[in-house]
Amino acid sequence: MNNNSGILEQLRSRYGEDTFKTQPTKDDILTLWLPVDHVPEVLKFLKHDLPQPFLLLFDLTAIDERTRKPENGHIPYSFTLIYHLFSFERNTFIRLKAGLREDFPKAPSISGLWQNANWYEREVYDMFGIRFEGHPHLSRILMPRTWVGHPLRKEHPARATEMGPFQLYDDKIDLEQSALQFKPEEWGLAKQSDDTDFMFLNIGPQHPGTHGVLRIVLQLDGEDIVDAIPDIGFHHRGAEKMGERQSWHTYIPYTDRVDYLGGVMNNLAYLQAVEKLAGIEVPERVKYIRVMLCELFRIASHLVWYGTFAQDVGQLSPVFYMFTDREKIFDIIEGICGGRMHPNWFRIGGVAQDLPKGWEQLVQRFLDYFPKRIKEYDNMVMKNSLFKARTVGIGIFTKDEAIEWGVTGPNLRACGFEWDFRKMRPYSGYEMFDFEVPTATNGDCYDRAVVRVAEMRQSLRIIEQCVKNMPAGPYKSDHPITTPPVKQNTMHDIETLITHFLGVTWGPVIPPGEAMSCIEATKGANGYYLTSDGNTSPYRVRIRTPSFPHMQMLPYITRGYTVADLLSILGAMDYVLADIDR
């Protein structure tokens, strides 16, 4: 799967033998250390000059190393920058790491090399205080402009109770009120051109068309959009910071709330990375159960998108029908897991319980019922002339533009690119299932809808195979780090009882190392990059979500359209604010 042959040799022959140092990891991704001043030229080579290049900047993040357990008596760096790149032709990732030594270090920007690097570098600055020289607009992105400190630095408090009582003095009121005043120049927006004065319109953060607490600042020439700047962070809850103070086990329910429409799919992305770190192989039955639940949530999420998208462009009835069908899925989820929207049901090494008696009939009833409903929705929405008028030819982007901006999932496949991580890099047993990868050709709002509707049909195929082929066997791994272990064994074996007690109190101890897991989530590629220092809690949790780069592309794909078209573009994007802000 990892086709990185010859890359290290080419890099060393070009930049010198001593420029790169390799690092073994638990996820088998080629990981290279290099000097920070070499980063731009090396990344440029990997993107433009290497055969079968790494065209996708998958993620860019950092780690505060200052409190990590020292290796060989010293800690070499204060911070580490991590670049994850992906090559579609090689079907592989590469990880580049650059160490920084100062308390508030600087690094060269790569925002001129990848469009989506802009927001990632702003996030690293916001969270860690690392400055990127050459960045066109380095400013906070998730935290308020008046925030003091950088939350993912180790000295920053993790809880409000560690920060003292909140007090609002008069000078702070004046500061906050001043920060709220709109100044176009602070947003990089001109007030006028040679022949016109621009109008500025604020949409959100309380607006039904933004699907949550999202603010968009529009620069308008009449009714035409000149620029559209997303203002994000209203939903930021410190999901990555929370990971540093939870055990590996107790962090699972927090993942449910990231893409809060994706349910257990969030658990899967996180747990696969934990299981790589721990060396856990899950049983076949676990793989099938996980796949079945994930595909049920894929349909549930797409139904929310489908109904609200139709509502965005003027249809009021579909959202009621589709939310009703979503409740039928939640009835299945509740019957199996006990919970509905956030079941928190996957576990390290398995799932919480085995499937209950009668689960097959529960799922089969939905498989018999739902196909004809999709047909009705085709007639109601996809064939509706007004829906087509609002979506065909709107918000177009190409495959190359999508990759440049970090777009994945249905939005990428609507450009004609047949790429799905379930097929191309199978995980959790997806290689055992027969299904197709829907694509479209035009890359507009309508084709993005075409792909998602077709995906629901493919999810039904996968779920049907789960019902027919569900293997017998345990619902948890017998690995000692499986948390919690099978309860019945604790009644007969004191060692298992002790392990159970420690696993649910202190939490499991995960061996030192790092690993990344990437899955095909409801909205695109969702990855968890976890770093362990051999403790009961992660040293660093990085969540790469699809909605973050997708929203960054909004200005690029809205220019020249109207405000009405903006709502079509937002609806077709299918994002969740918690997925953007974390």
Side-chain angles (χ1 to χ4, degrees):
M1 188 180 289
N2 288 325
N3 181 17
N4 281 324
S5 58
I7 294 177
L8 182 58
E9 292 74 14
Q10 292 185 61
L11 288 171
R12 282 178 168 165
S13 67
R14 189 180 182 99
Y15 299 103
E17 285 287 330
D18 299 329
T19 304
F20 301 93
K21 295 180 180 178
T22 60
Q23 175 188 334
T25 62
K26 300 292 182 70
D27 54 12
D28 297 325
I29 293 176
L30 176 62
T31 302
L32 304 176
W33 285 85
L34 74 162
V36 67
D37 55 340
H38 280 60
V39 166
E41 57 181 313
V42 170
L43 293 183
K44 183 178 180 182
F45 169 74
L46 291 173
K47 181 182 181 184
H48 293 300
D49 300 328
L50 182 74
Q52 298 177 307
F54 288 82
L55 296 178
L56 176 67
L57 175 62
F58 183 76
D59 194 27
L60 192 172
T61 190
I63 299 177
D64 184 347
E65 304 280 9
R66 293 171 299 164
T67 61
R68 198 188 303 217
K69 294 177 183 177
E71 297 179 14
N72 302 321
H74 70 284
I75 300 173
Y77 301 113
S78 299
F79 295 87
T80 301
L81 283 175
I82 302 103
Y83 302 82
H84 281 106
L85 311 182
F86 188 76
S87 169
F88 292 100
E89 293 182 48
R90 294 173 181 266
N91 191 16
T92 192
F93 287 96
I94 188 171
R95 180 183 298 128
L96 300 178
K97 304 175 79 170
L100 306 172
R101 296 187 184 278
E102 299 82 11
D103 273 350
F104 287 91
K106 297 179 180 179
S109 173
I110 60 164
S111 57
L113 189 56
W114 272 284
Q115 294 283 0
N116 65 327
N118 186 307
W119 273 22
Y120 284 126
E121 289 181 347
R122 286 180 62 190
E123 183 185 5
V124 170
Y125 163 70
D126 195 2
M127 295 292 111
F128 293 93
I130 299 170
R131 303 193 69 88
F132 290 90
E133 296 179 315
H135 191 285
H137 187 64
L138 192 65
S139 59
R140 290 196 182 273
I141 187 168
L142 294 176
M143 304 304 293
R145 297 184 180 192
T146 55
W147 191 265
V148 177
H150 302 276
L152 286 182
R153 294 171 69 94
K154 293 298 182 180
E155 71 269 17
H156 194 283
R159 292 177 171 88
T161 52
E162 300 170 3
M163 303 173 73
F166 177 77
Q167 294 179 317
L168 190 60
Y169 297 108
D170 289 343
D171 57 348
K172 182 166 176 61
I173 293 175
D174 294 339
L175 177 65
E176 296 293 344
Q177 290 289 352
S178 175
L180 289 173
Q181 293 178 6
F182 176 69
K183 305 176 184 70
E185 60 276 7
E186 292 183 357
W187 295 77
L189 300 172
K191 292 183 179 180
Q192 59 191 66
S193 65
D194 294 337
D195 56 356
T196 186
D197 290 336
F198 295 127
M199 179 174 69
F200 298 95
L201 181 64
N202 192 69
I203 295 182
Q206 308 297 337
H207 188 286
T210 60
H211 294 250
V213 280
L214 168 69
R215 178 191 182 198
I216 300 170
V217 177
L218 290 181
Q219 182 186 32
L220 299 172
D221 182 4
E223 293 187 7
D224 296 329
I225 297 173
V226 178
D227 214 339
I229 310 297
D231 184 12
I232 65 173
F234 295 94
H235 212 304
H236 178 67
R237 297 161 296 167
E240 295 179 8
K241 187 78 169 181
M242 291 176 189
E244 298 174 11
R245 61 175 173 82
Q246 296 293 324
S247 77
W248 297 93
H249 173 63
T250 59
Y251 186 61
I252 296 171
Y254 290 84
T255 66
D256 275 349
R257 276 80 177 168
V258 179
D259 173 8
Y260 51 71
L261 299 179
V264 295
M265 216 173 285
N266 298 277
N267 303 164
L268 182 62
Y270 167 70
L271 288 173
Q272 286 194 153
V274 177
E275 288 159 1
K276 286 180 182 180
L277 283 170
I280 297 174
E281 284 289 332
V282 301
E284 289 290 292
R285 184 173 179 83
V286 172
K287 293 179 181 179
Y288 270 76
I289 294 172
R290 287 177 170 182
V291 166
M292 182 175 70
L293 270 291
C294 283
E295 294 307 315
L296 283 168
F297 265 104
R298 191 182 308 278
I299 297 173
S301 176
H302 282 2
L303 282 172
V304 174
W305 156 80
Y306 205 180
T308 54
F309 185 29
Q311 182 173 285
D312 286 339
V313 297
Q315 289 186 276
L316 297 182
S317 298
V319 69
F320 296 103
Y321 300 132
M322 294 173 187
F323 269 61
T324 300
D325 285 345
R326 177 175 175 247
E327 286 300 307
K328 294 182 184 300
I329 294 176
F330 282 165
D331 288 342
I332 300 172
I333 301 298
E334 184 180 19
I336 293 174
C337 307
R340 292 171 73 85
M341 192 168 173
H342 301 136
N344 172 33
W345 199 64
F346 291 178
R347 295 290 182 270
I348 299 172
V351 293
Q353 304 98 17
D354 204 351
L355 294 171
K357 293 180 180 178
W359 70 270
E360 301 99 326
Q361 292 83 356
L362 201 62
V363 177
Q364 190 61 52
R365 278 200 298 270
F366 181 76
L367 292 174
D368 295 338
Y369 162 83
F370 192 58
K372 57 180 176 290
R373 296 291 284 180
I374 300 181
K375 266 188 169 182
E376 289 179 29
Y377 298 150
D378 281 346
N379 294 326
M380 186 186 304
V381 181
M382 299 303 292
K383 295 179 182 179
N384 184 286
S385 59
L386 294 178
F387 182 83
K388 288 184 175 180
R390 293 290 304 277
T391 57
V392 173
I394 304 297
I396 298 173
F397 54 82
T398 67
K399 166 194 163 186
D400 292 340
E401 290 170 330
I403 294 171
E404 176 67 18
W405 285 91
V407 173
T408 54
N411 294 340
L412 176 60
R413 293 190 283 275
C415 302
F417 189 28
E418 189 177 324
W419 187 275
D420 187 313
F421 279 90
R422 294 172 296 173
K423 275 283 190 186
M424 304 305 293
R425 295 176 62 84
Y427 56 89
S428 192
Y430 269 105
E431 67 277 6
M432 298 183 286
F433 294 89
D434 178 28
F435 65 100
E436 297 168 7
V437 178
T439 61
T441 55
N442 298 314
D444 60 8
C445 292
Y446 187 80
D447 275 10
R448 294 195 271 283
V450 168
V451 170
R452 288 190 179 90
V453 171
E455 279 191 358
M456 288 194 282
R457 291 186 165 95
Q458 296 304 316
S459 291
L460 288 173
R461 285 181 64 184
I462 295 171
I463 295 166
E464 187 173 17
Q465 292 169 66
C466 289
V467 173
K468 290 180 178 177
N469 304 321
M470 181 66 67
Y475 64 93
K476 285 185 178 179
S477 170
D478 59 1
H479 194 283
I481 298 181
T482 296
T483 307
V486 179
K487 180 71 176 175
Q488 66 188 35
N489 296 340
T490 66
M491 301 295 106
H492 306 283
D493 179 356
I494 187 64
E495 292 300 327
T496 306
L497 179 60
I498 293 170
T499 301
H500 185 280
F501 177 78
L502 293 177
V504 298
T505 52
W506 296 353
V509 175
I510 301 296
E514 59 188 68
M516 185 180 73
S517 164
C518 179
I519 71 164
E520 187 68 40
T522 62
K523 292 155 186 63
N526 180 207
Y528 275 74
Y529 171 53
L530 305 179
T531 303
S532 172
D533 61 348
N535 212 322
T536 56
S537 299
Y539 186 82
R540 172 82 171 96
V541 174
R542 169 59 179 169
I543 310 173
R544 191 276 183 194
T545 63
S547 297
F548 185 80
H550 293 179
M551 183 54 65
Q552 184 181 185
M553 197 183 189
L554 184 69
Y556 183 76
I557 60 176
T558 54
R559 293 185 185 116
Y561 290 104
T562 66
V563 178
D565 295 330
L566 170 66
L567 296 184
S568 298
I569 292 168
L570 288 172
M573 188 182 291
D574 187 22
Y575 59 90
V576 160
L577 263 299
D579 204 47
I580 297 174
D581 294 344
R582 284 150 288 129

